[in-house]
């Protein structure tokens, strides 16, 4: 909303963004105080995780059952440091050092825009705490692929710790067929050229226009990319920013790859994100390529095999030591183990 003395409020069409202006004179005056609150505050705070989700549903940020179930299954407060948990159910972004969580309304829009389905492959660029990747894993199920790339090694370790706690202690883990995320440290602009393409890609940092094509090429045909894409904004007034915002503003954008060289683009929401960090060359002058393995997925024939008697685990259930992120669920309790079929396909 835009408010100035003597003027009516004008909706600028930006959900999750509040703009307030105060002027000492008419609208043509050069002296304005602009306060921009971005990345949250769109819905009321909740007393707990369920109340927060109720508020997001009421505000139409959460619109589908699958997304609602994923949000309710993972408590947002579990991804906060203990001393900051009192703010976990507010619709606000949180940052401490390198650790960062976007506002719930932003994650809701992202999850809805990704149009997630069981069995898809997902790449999270700037995977952070692993909160979003874990929610996605609940939807992808046992035959999905769930990869995350994070710039900061300390955040990667934080995400792995939170994932381990979720698997060991959460009741939700036993209620879902979970596609366990796999996190690696590196710059997402340095993914190896021989990396496989993905069905769904999300970037959690502001993407400059010069990197738009790079991001698009990570997608399979038919895939969906959601990212904050740089947008040049021209204000008719001289503005002074008193809230810490970045020089570039971004539009949360959904891009669907409809063909080898064809795309459909939809703008979702005006947001403020920290921009992508440009790659640094090593001492030898070479880039540090991020390697993401091509994860095996069962063929249609092997998926149809029945489960064994007296157990609810899948017949392909992997043995200990297999890597996460390839649609393989690590179980908390020891049950009868079934060998993974030899036949597989690659994504």
């Amino acid at each position: 909303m835009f408010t100035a003395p003597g003027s009516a409020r004008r909706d600028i069409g930006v959900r999750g963004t509040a703009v307030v202006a105060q002027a000492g004179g008419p609208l043509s005056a050069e002296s304005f105080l602009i306060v921009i609150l971005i990345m949250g505050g769109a819905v009321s705070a909740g007393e707990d995780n369920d109340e927060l989700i109720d508020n997001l549903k009421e505000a139409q940020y959460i619109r589908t059952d699958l997304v609602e179930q994923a949000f309710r299954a993972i408590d947002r407060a579990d991804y906060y440091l203990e001393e900051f948990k009192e703010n976990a159910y507010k619709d606000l972004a949180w940052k401490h050092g390198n650790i960062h969580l976007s506002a719930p309304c932003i994650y809701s829009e992202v999850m809805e825009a990704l149009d997630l389905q069981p069995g898809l492959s997902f790449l999270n660029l700037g995977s952070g705490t692993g909160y979003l990747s874990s929610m996605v894993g609940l939807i992808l199920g046992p035959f999905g692929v769930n990869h995350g790339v994070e710039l900061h090694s300390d955040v990667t370790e934080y995400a792995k710790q939170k994932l381990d706690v979720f698997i060991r202690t959460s009741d939700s883990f036993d209620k879902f067929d979970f596609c366990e995320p796999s996190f690696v440290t590196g710059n997402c602009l340095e993914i190896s050229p021989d990396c496989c393409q993905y069905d769904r890609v999300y970037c959690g940092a502001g993407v400059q226009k010069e990197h738009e094509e790079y991001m698009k090429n990570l997608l399979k045909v038919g895939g969906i990319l959601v990212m904050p894409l740089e947008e040049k904004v021209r204000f008719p007034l001289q503005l002074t920013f008193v809230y810490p915002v970045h020089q570039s503003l971004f539009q949360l954008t959904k891009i669907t790859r409809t063909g080898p060289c064809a795309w459909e683009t939809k703008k979702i929401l005006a947001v403020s994100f920290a921009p992508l960090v440009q790659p640094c060359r090593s001492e030898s002058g070479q880039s540090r390529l991020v390697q993401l393995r091509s994860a095996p997925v069962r063929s249609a024939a092997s998926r149809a095999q029945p489960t064994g008697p007296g157990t609810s685990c899948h017949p392909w259930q992997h043995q200990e030591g297999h890597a996460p992120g390839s649609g393989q669920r690590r179980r908390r309790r020891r049950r009868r183990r079934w060998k993974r079929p030899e036949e597989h396909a690659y994504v």
Side-chain angles (χ1 to χ4, degrees):
M1 305 293 292
F2 184 95
T3 306
S7 68
R9 290 187 176 183
R10 178 163 60 88
D11 188 350
I12 60 174
V14 180
R15 283 193 293 166
T17 303
V19 182
V20 179
Q22 294 178 335
L27 286 176
S28 59
E30 295 182 358
S31 176
F32 281 87
L33 173 63
I34 305 296
V35 181
I36 299 184
L37 304 177
I38 300 180
M39 299 293 289
V43 301
S44 301
E47 292 294 326
D48 55 25
N49 196 65
D50 279 331
E51 188 172 331
L52 173 63
I53 307 313
D54 291 340
N55 294 338
L56 290 167
K57 281 190 65 182
E58 183 179 356
Q60 290 292 298
Y61 284 98
I62 293 178
R63 300 180 288 277
T64 60
D65 291 341
L66 275 178
V67 171
E68 178 185 353
Q69 291 167 13
F71 269 88
R72 291 194 189 279
I74 297 183
D75 195 318
R76 180 176 168 88
D78 291 342
Y79 290 79
Y80 274 67
L81 292 171
E82 192 64 38
E83 59 267 35
F84 299 103
K85 285 190 174 183
E86 63 183 20
N87 296 318
Y89 306 123
K90 297 177 181 178
D91 187 32
L92 296 172
W94 171 66
K95 181 174 175 59
H96 181 77
N98 291 327
I99 303 171
H100 175 264
L101 277 168
S102 293
C105 68
I106 301 297
Y107 282 136
S108 302
E109 289 286 8
V110 169
M111 290 281 285
E112 292 287 356
L114 285 169
D115 189 20
L116 296 162
Q117 302 168 32
L120 297 181
S121 56
F122 172 66
L123 176 61
N124 189 354
L125 303 174
S127 50
T129 65
Y131 171 64
L132 179 67
S133 291
S134 292
M135 287 195 294
V136 169
L138 296 177
I139 298 176
L140 296 183
F143 307 118
V145 174
N146 195 353
H147 289 166
V149 179
E150 168 56 42
L151 181 64
H152 303 287
S153 58
D154 59 326
V155 181
T156 303
E157 291 307 310
Y158 184 87
K160 291 178 179 179
Q161 291 170 12
K162 293 299 181 182
L163 175 62
D164 184 64
V165 171
F166 170 71
I167 290 173
R168 287 188 295 103
T169 65
S170 175
D171 291 338
S172 296
F173 179 75
D174 281 335
K175 297 176 182 177
F176 291 81
D177 286 322
F178 184 53
C179 182
E180 184 177 334
S182 173
F183 302 114
V184 298
T185 301
N187 191 305
C188 67
L189 293 175
E190 295 184 304
I191 293 176
S192 176
D194 59 1
C195 169
C196 64
Q197 293 176 313
Y198 291 80
D199 296 302
R200 300 291 187 267
V201 177
Y202 171 65
C203 182
V207 177
Q208 299 90 343
K209 290 295 288 185
E210 60 265 30
H211 299 308
E212 181 178 358
E213 291 302 315
Y214 170 90
M215 293 292 175
K216 288 179 177 179
N217 287 327
L218 295 172
L219 274 185
K220 295 178 181 179
V221 173
I224 294 174
L225 163 66
V226 178
M227 63 180 175
L229 185 60
E230 183 180 27
E231 182 167 278
K232 302 299 182 182
V233 179
R234 292 184 179 181
F235 292 99
L237 307 171
Q238 180 179 346
L239 306 183
T240 302
F241 293 98
V242 297
Y243 184 83
V245 298
H246 300 283
Q247 292 181 350
S248 297
L249 294 180
F250 300 88
Q251 278 278 349
L252 189 64
T253 303
K254 176 180 179 178
I255 298 176
T256 304
R257 188 168 195 169
T258 58
C261 300
W263 315 86
E264 289 181 358
T265 300
K266 177 184 177 182
K267 295 179 180 180
I268 302 172
L269 183 70
V271 294
S272 176
F273 273 71
L276 284 173
V277 175
Q278 301 305 304
C280 296
R281 300 289 178 177
S282 64
E283 294 181 359
S284 63
Q286 300 295 317
S287 62
R288 304 177 180 89
L289 292 181
V290 177
Q291 302 292 335
L292 296 169
R293 63 185 169 275
S294 297
V297 178
R298 284 210 314 154
S299 67
S302 59
R303 291 186 194 189
Q305 294 180 12
T307 56
T311 180
S312 61
C313 66
H314 294 275
W316 56 271
Q317 195 72 41
H318 70 92
Q319 299 181 15
E320 290 184 305
H322 282 229
S326 58
Q328 298 174 343
R329 177 178 174 180
R330 192 168 68 201
R331 299 197 66 84
R332 203 183 318 159
R333 302 176 181 87
R334 292 185 179 273
R335 295 180 177 177
R336 181 177 175 182
R337 218 182 258 132
W338 294 79
K339 291 186 177 180
R340 185 187 180 100
E342 294 297 325
E343 181 185 3
H344 52 257
Y346 287 87
V347 295

